[in-house]
């Protein structure tokens, strides 16, 4: 195969790998557009997103999963094998690893959240980060966004990025290149610079885990665990319970980060010693 043929083949592989992602990005906007027409909504798109955005995001997560499952069946392929998501007949060791993966994700998230709170980062950078974060919880249907973050988003995004995308990239690219391509695309989808930075690192690690274990179940557990602290923080902010002393005391925030860092390191070393990583 000539260099030109390799370039075209590689580009075609990337395009095929990201097609489901385009649908995932487009569906919420399409649903909101349909909803505004059906309801004869007179407000702005920003007001509609604030009022019902969580519902449309929830619905889009469900629809993309149903669509991908039905497409696999229609094309005569096994959805679970195509996405390397194996959940049946899990051994006691597998279930234990799922729990440890979720705890690892939560520990890393706790550490990063503490760092972002304590470190004197430029306001320009933190301003966009805080704005992006607040948009996630801006809607009225808070329960739906919590379900999204804790369950549906980790499931849908791991199926898209580490299931469909990574597996298609591996049909042409070497393992390392496939991992980095999927991780870069994953990072770019997060918009804010800080989100992109740790999404890139997470994308590399999650892709490596999925290849190592040949099962995206474990990246799903890590992803869900990573989102868990954000879910708990959202509950605290919405209810106002303990918000003042939990977030305003930098010593406590530093302590949370230290606990997260220590727990994450211990879990990682334990998983390496067990041969899970």
């Amino acid at each position: 195969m000539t260099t030109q043929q390799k370039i075209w083949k590689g580009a075609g592989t990337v395009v095929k790998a990201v097609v489901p992602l385009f649908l995932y990005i487009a569906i919420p906007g399409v649903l909101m557009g349909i909803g505004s027409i059906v309801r004869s909504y007179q407000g702005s798109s920003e007001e509609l997103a604030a009022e019902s955005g969580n519902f449309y995001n929830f619905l889009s997560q469900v629809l993309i999963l149903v669509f991908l499952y039905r497409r696999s069946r229609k094309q005569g392929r096994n959805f679970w094998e195509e996405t390397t998501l194996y959940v049946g007949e899990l051994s006691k060791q597998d279930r234990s690893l799922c729990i440890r993966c979720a705890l690892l994700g939560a520990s890393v998230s706790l550490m990063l959240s503490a760092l972002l709170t304590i470190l004197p980062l430029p306001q320009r950078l933190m301003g966009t980060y805080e704005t992006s974060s607040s948009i996630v919880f801006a809607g009225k249907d808070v329960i739906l966004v919590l379900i999204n973050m804790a369950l549906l988003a980790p499931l849908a995004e791991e199926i898209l990025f580490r299931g469909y995308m990574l597996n298609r990239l591996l049909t042409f690219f070497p393992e390392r290149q496939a991992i980095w391509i999927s991780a870069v695309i994953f990072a770019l989808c997060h918009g804010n610079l800080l989100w992109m930075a740790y999404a890139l690192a997470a994308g590399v690690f999650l892709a490596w885990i999925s290849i190592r274990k040949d099962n995206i179940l474990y990246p799903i557990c890590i992803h869900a665990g990573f989102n868990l602290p954000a879910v708990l923080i959202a509950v605290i902010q919405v209810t106002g319970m303990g918000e003042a002393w939990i977030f305003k005391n930098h010593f406590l925030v530093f302590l949370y980060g230290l606990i997260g860092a220590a727990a994450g390191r211990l879990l990682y070393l334990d998983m390496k010693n067990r041969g899970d990583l």
Side-chain angles (χ1 to χ4, degrees), residues 47-65:
E47 291 171 336
L48 177 62
E51 180 181 327
S52 306
N54 292 343
F55 168 75
Y56 291 117
N57 284 330
F58 173 85
L59 185 58
S60 68
Q61 302 274 7
V62 174
L63 287 178
I64 191 65
L65 291 173

Side-chain angles (χ1 to χ4, degrees), residues 108-121 126 250 253-254 256-258 261:
V108 173
S109 179
L110 188 62
M111 178 189 69
L112 288 176
S113 296
L115 284 175
L116 291 176
T117 302
I118 294 173
L119 291 178
L121 296 174
M126 285 305 297
H250 275 206
V253 173
F254 173 77
Y256 303 148
L258 195 61

Side-chain angles (χ1 to χ4, degrees), residues 78-273:
N78 186 306
F79 173 78
W80 310 107
E81 292 181 356
E82 190 174 21
T83 58
T84 58
L85 174 56
Y86 306 111
V87 296
E89 302 296 329
L90 291 177
S91 66
K92 183 178 179 180
Q93 182 178 356
D94 293 331
R95 292 193 296 271
S96 173
L97 179 57
C98 286
I99 294 172
R100 284 180 281 129
C101 282
L103 291 173
L104 176 63
S107 299
V108 173
S109 179
L110 188 62
M111 178 189 69
L112 288 176
S113 296
L115 284 175
L116 291 176
T117 302
I118 294 173
L119 291 178
L121 296 174
Q123 181 56 37
R124 181 179 178 183
L125 187 61
M126 285 305 297
T128 57
Y129 173 80
E130 290 167 356
T131 300
S132 300
S133 300
S134 63
I135 289 173
V136 176
F137 301 103
K140 297 180 180 179
D141 305 312
V142 178
I143 298 299
L144 291 182
V145 80
L146 297 181
I147 295 173
N148 249 350
M149 291 191 66
L151 296 173
L152 284 178
L155 178 62
E157 290 183 8
E158 291 310 312
I159 285 175
L160 283 167
F161 288 98
R162 263 61 69 176
Y164 277 98
M165 184 182 298
L166 181 61
N167 287 332
R168 277 162 174 71
L169 292 172
L170 286 169
T171 62
F172 178 78
F173 295 98
E175 181 178 303
R176 181 173 294 183
Q177 290 183 17
I179 287 174
W180 277 101
I181 292 172
S182 66
V184 168
I185 296 173
F186 181 62
L188 291 175
C189 290
H190 282 75
N192 173 268
L193 189 59
L194 284 174
W195 280 1
M196 289 170 62
Y198 58 67
L200 179 63
V204 171
F205 182 67
L206 293 172
W208 177 74
I209 288 288
S210 67
I211 293 174
R212 166 91 169 150
K213 305 302 293 182
D214 193 30
N215 192 347
I216 65 168
L217 174 62
Y218 305 110
I220 289 172
C221 292
I222 295 173
H223 197 149
F226 188 89
N227 285 2
L228 182 59
V231 172
L232 297 177
I233 290 171
V235 171
I236 292 171
Q237 290 176 333
V238 169
T239 61
M241 295 175 57
E243 182 176 2
W245 64 269
I246 289 176
F247 298 116
K248 303 301 181 183
N249 189 321
H250 275 206
F251 174 75
L252 284 179
V253 173
F254 173 77
L255 186 60
Y256 303 148
L258 195 61
I259 292 172
R265 177 172 173 76
L266 289 174
L267 285 164
Y268 179 78
L269 292 176
D270 177 65
M271 291 163 74
K272 283 197 70 174
N273 291 335

